[in-house]
Amino acid sequence: MNTLLVRTINDGVLSALEPFLVRAGRHDGRFDVAPFGLRVPPRNRIDPTRLESEPFLNRLCTLDALTFGPEGMPMPRWLFYEASALPGGIFGFGCRAGALSDSARNRLRLSEGYEGLVPLSMYIAIPARPPSVWYGHNLASLNRLIPEMNLKGMASLTKAFALRCFRCRTQIGATQWDSPALGVHTRFGPLELLTAWTPAHAFPATLTYCLRVSERGLRAAMGDPEAPRPEGPEPEFAISSGDEDAMRALQARLEAGERFVITGPPTAVGGRPAVPVAAMPEPAGEPRWGGK
């Protein structure tokens, strides 16, 4: 029996859904299979190296396509295996196919005979500096596609439980300045900027960030009323999602050694998201990620 050890924004949906974890069996020791008291049942611990896992892995690829296909960023199948499922971990929530209406089944592209676990959210992370530094590769939720299931807050909940499951203490990530996901990531606390303009990415208007994972931040992101969001500095300026010159200028300052932090969620300015930024004091004894 699960005993949830934290209050969340949507306890009702958590009680109705099943957690799952995809990981290669040889990596079992990396994971907490009962994050915040919510135990992943053995049948929902999926090994991507086994043939029997194919139907569920197919569903995860469909979840990715439904989420990122419209944005032009679906994940190639080989990348899903080689850079995600095999070396890393995938945590999420789902329900049995029999619990879905015919309409929902159609929207989720379920085959007629499929009656297994249907993933409704997932967070994929890859070890960046084992055991405690992980790169967050993918966060997906079907809240907008199936609103009748009341998956409110599912993206934040999924990431929070996943970070605890992965025993992550520092999370690295990359997202676009105009991405709605940035509003989710900032719920966990201030985000230190590692890049502001990233030509190595297919979309150069991408930022790279570092999140120091904390108990308070995880609980705040999940909506625990007793855990306010970790405080950061007051914003000093904002970067508009359409201002490439500002992104390039901030990148130059980062490369010159200055440190900056995203202080909170984007706000709408002139019809575009504007991301609040402030200078970050150099913390004593705390190097940048990637430093010595």
Side-chain angles (χ1 to χ4, degrees), residues 211-292:
L211 169 70
R212 310 291 177 180
V213 179
S214 68
E215 180 78 7
R216 179 178 171 182
L218 292 176
R219 290 174 177 265
M222 287 189 285
D224 187 339
E226 298 180 1
R229 179 183 178 276
E231 295 181 0
E234 289 296 317
E236 298 173 7
F237 59 92
I239 298 290
S240 169
S241 64
D243 193 344
E244 295 184 357
D245 289 340
M247 297 172 198
R248 292 173 184 269
L250 185 55
Q251 176 67 23
R253 295 178 70 178
L254 289 168
E255 293 186 19
E258 295 185 67
R259 299 180 74 170
F260 295 92
V261 61
I262 295 175
T263 62
T267 58
V269 177
R272 287 183 175 274
V275 181
V277 178
M280 177 180 176
E282 192 78 25
E286 184 180 290
R288 297 172 187 263
W289 178 83
K292 294 182 181 179

Side-chain angles (χ1 to χ4, degrees), residues 32 47 82 87 99 101 110 112 118 151 171 211 214 233 248 276:
D32 176 355
D47 189 333
E82 293 183 17
S101 67
L110 278 183
E112 185 174 346
V118 179
L151 300 178
Q171 184 247 316
L211 169 70
S214 68
R248 292 173 184 269

Side-chain angles (χ1 to χ4, degrees), residues 21-33 45-49 81-90 125-127 130-131 134 165-167:
L21 172 64
V22 177
R23 82 289 175 257
R26 65 178 63 89
H27 297 156
D28 272 345
R30 288 179 178 170
F31 302 99
D32 176 355
V33 296
R45 301 174 199 172
I46 312 297
D47 189 333
T49 66
Y81 179 75
E82 293 183 17
S84 300
L86 183 63
I90 307 174
I126 308 160
W134 289 70
C165 175
F166 301 158
R167 298 190 169 101

Side-chain angles (χ1 to χ4, degrees), residues 2-286:
N2 289 317
T3 302
L4 194 60
L5 302 178
V6 64
R7 295 172 62 188
T8 79
I9 193 174
N10 201 340
D11 289 347
V13 76
L14 289 183
S15 66
L17 300 180
E18 300 180 34
F20 64 82
L21 172 64
V22 177
R23 82 289 175 257
R26 65 178 63 89
H27 297 156
D28 272 345
R30 288 179 178 170
F31 302 99
D32 176 355
V33 296
F36 294 108
L38 188 65
R39 186 170 182 81
V40 181
R43 69 172 179 169
N44 290 355
R45 301 174 199 172
I46 312 297
D47 189 333
T49 66
R50 299 183 65 86
L51 289 174
E52 64 191 20
S53 302
E54 181 181 9
F56 186 73
L57 298 179
N58 288 341
R59 293 306 316 161
L60 290 178
C61 289
T62 300
L63 169 57
D64 176 79
L66 290 169
T67 305
F68 297 104
E71 299 179 4
M73 297 179 67
M75 192 183 344
R77 183 67 176 242
W78 66 266
L79 182 65
F80 171 76
Y81 179 75
E82 293 183 17
S84 300
L86 183 63
I90 307 174
F91 181 95
F93 292 93
C95 68
R96 295 291 151 179
L100 296 169
S101 67
D102 289 342
S103 174
R105 291 181 67 103
N106 289 335
R107 278 173 278 160
L108 298 182
R109 305 176 189 173
L110 278 183
S111 59
E112 185 174 346
Y114 186 81
E115 295 299 335
L117 184 65
V118 179
L120 304 176
S121 70
M122 67 175 173
Y123 184 72
I124 303 176
I126 308 160
R129 183 183 290 171
S132 61
V133 182
W134 289 70
Y135 175 79
H137 174 59
N138 180 302
L139 175 61
S141 167
L142 294 178
N143 184 25
R144 295 181 182 178
L145 189 63
I146 43 176
E148 67 271 24
M149 293 197 70
N150 187 31
L151 300 178
K152 178 182 178 182
M154 186 51 62
S156 298
L157 289 170
T158 299
K159 179 173 179 175
F161 276 93
L163 291 177
R164 175 56 61 88
C165 175
F166 301 158
R167 298 190 169 101
C168 178
R169 296 176 61 188
T170 301
Q171 184 247 316
I172 311 301
T175 192
Q176 289 64 58
W177 285 95
D178 62 355
S179 173
L182 194 53
V184 174
H185 301 315
T186 55
R187 292 173 189 161
F188 291 79
L191 308 177
E192 181 179 0
L193 280 166
L194 304 179
T195 71
W197 179 258
T198 317
H201 197 283
F203 298 88
T206 289
L207 62 92
T208 310
Y209 69 85
C210 174
L211 169 70
R212 310 291 177 180
V213 179
S214 68
E215 180 78 7
R216 179 178 171 182
L218 292 176
R219 290 174 177 265
M222 287 189 285
D224 187 339
E226 298 180 1
R229 179 183 178 276
E231 295 181 0
E234 289 296 317
E236 298 173 7
F237 59 92
I239 298 290
S240 169
S241 64
D243 193 344
E244 295 184 357
D245 289 340
M247 297 172 198
R248 292 173 184 269
L250 185 55
Q251 176 67 23
R253 295 178 70 178
L254 289 168
E255 293 186 19
E258 295 185 67
R259 299 180 74 170
F260 295 92
V261 61
I262 295 175
T263 62
T267 58
V269 177
R272 287 183 175 274
V275 181
V277 178
M280 177 180 176
E282 192 78 25
E286 184 180 290

